[in-house]
């Protein structure tokens, strides 16, 4: 059975994740270089928060019920309070935005007029904090 995607109002988006070789990180001024040096540790118990729709994600709730505790190690040379979730994100790196726009143009994508940054809680412990850029 064929579906008429236009008739049912189907909209499909494509999200591309790519680490860029920029001078600084996307939401702070730390360099993008990695280091094995450890200057300190942060202990965290992660909890889900309400979404924009006022609901708690079921997957996040399941992760919380596992009762996991996380210890993150950081290096002062390439980590700051933004990444430790103790300071709001800085303005996004213009270099990273320029690269993203150039790639979008090369791929003949529609570029939105406005985008917003919001906090993204990753409750599986894969990151102490994170910020996501939403495009409208
Ligand atoms: Zn930083």
């Amino acid at each position: 059975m064929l579906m008429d995607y236009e008739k049912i109002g189907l909209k499909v988006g494509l999200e591309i994740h790519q680490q860029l070789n920029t001078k600084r990180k996307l939401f702070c001024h730390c360099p993008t270089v990695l280091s094995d040096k450890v200057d300190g540790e942060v202990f965290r118990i992660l909890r889900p928060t309400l979404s924009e729709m006022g609901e708690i994600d079921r997957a996040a709730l399941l992760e919380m019920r596992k009762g996991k505790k996380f210890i993150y190690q950081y290096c002062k040379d390439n980590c700051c309070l933004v990444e430790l979730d103790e300071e709001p994100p800085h303005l996004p790196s213009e270099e990273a935005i320029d690269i993203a726009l150039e790639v979008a143009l090369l791929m003949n994508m529609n570029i939105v007029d406005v985008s917003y940054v919001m906090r993204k809680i990753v409750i599986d412990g894969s990151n102490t904090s994170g910020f996501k850029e939403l495009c409208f």
Side-chain angles (χ1 to χ4, degrees), residues 94-107 111-112:
E94 287 187 25
E95 182 185 14
I97 291 173
D98 286 347
I99 293 169
L101 288 174
E102 188 171 339
V103 169
L105 289 171
L106 288 169
M107 296 176 81
I111 297 174
V112 296

Side-chain angles (χ1 to χ4, degrees), residues 25 27-31 78-84 90:
K25 294 182 181 177
F27 294 115
C28 69
H29 288 81
C30 293
N78 61 4
C79 188
C80 68
L81 293 175
V82 173
E83 290 153 286
L84 295 177
H90 301 180

Side-chain angles (χ1 to χ4, degrees), residues 5-72:
Y5 297 127
E6 195 169 324
K7 185 176 178 183
I8 64 173
L10 178 69
K11 288 185 177 181
V12 177
L14 180 62
E15 185 172 316
I16 300 172
H17 293 249
Q18 175 62 51
Q19 188 170 9
L20 301 175
N21 187 16
T22 54
K23 292 180 187 75
R24 59 167 266 214
K25 294 182 181 177
L26 184 57
F27 294 115
C28 69
H29 288 81
C30 293
T32 55
V33 293
L34 296 175
S35 172
D36 291 334
K37 191 174 98 177
V38 176
D39 293 317
E41 294 182 335
V42 177
F43 174 79
R44 291 275 160 83
I45 298 173
L46 302 176
R47 298 173 182 85
T49 56
L50 294 177
S51 70
E52 297 87 6
M53 305 298 285
E55 299 168 0
I56 292 180
D57 180 79
R58 289 172 47 192
L61 201 55
L62 286 173
E63 280 296 322
M64 184 195 76
R65 288 184 179 146
K66 292 177 182 173
K68 290 181 180 175
K69 297 169 180 140
F70 302 94
I71 296 174
Y72 300 97

